[in-house]
Amino acid sequence: MEKADIPEGLEFIVDPTDKKKHHYLLAATKKMTVSELRSKLEWVADRMSVIRDAQDTL
């Protein structure tokens, strides 16, 4: 998986229960307050999107 643009202290790791290693989890890699974690997760969520009905604009 390519390096993603995510906030410091968060990292994508392979799901240890996925034998095929196709699923990833977003994990906190350093100690932070709940408010810091919430802020970083909101930042990630703001940048995630699902494109629906893209054919209409193409």
Side-chain angles (χ1 to χ4, degrees):
M1 183 172 198
E2 291 181 28
K3 185 74 175 163
D5 182 23
I6 56 174
E8 182 181 338
L10 298 179
E11 182 178 317
F12 283 107
I13 60 169
V14 176
D15 181 352
T17 64
D18 180 24
K19 294 186 189 322
K20 294 182 181 181
K21 303 202 182 302
H22 291 160
H23 295 110
Y24 289 81
L25 304 172
L26 184 59
T29 58
K30 74 171 197 169
K31 191 173 184 175
M32 64 183 83
T33 65
V34 172
S35 60
E36 285 178 294
L37 177 60
R38 178 183 175 191
S39 175
K40 290 178 182 196
L41 291 174
E42 286 176 342
W43 185 93
V44 171
D46 285 346
R47 281 147 186 83
M48 294 177 68
S49 63
V50 176
I51 300 173
R52 292 188 168 98
D53 302 323
Q55 291 293 10
D56 295 341
T57 45
L58 297 176

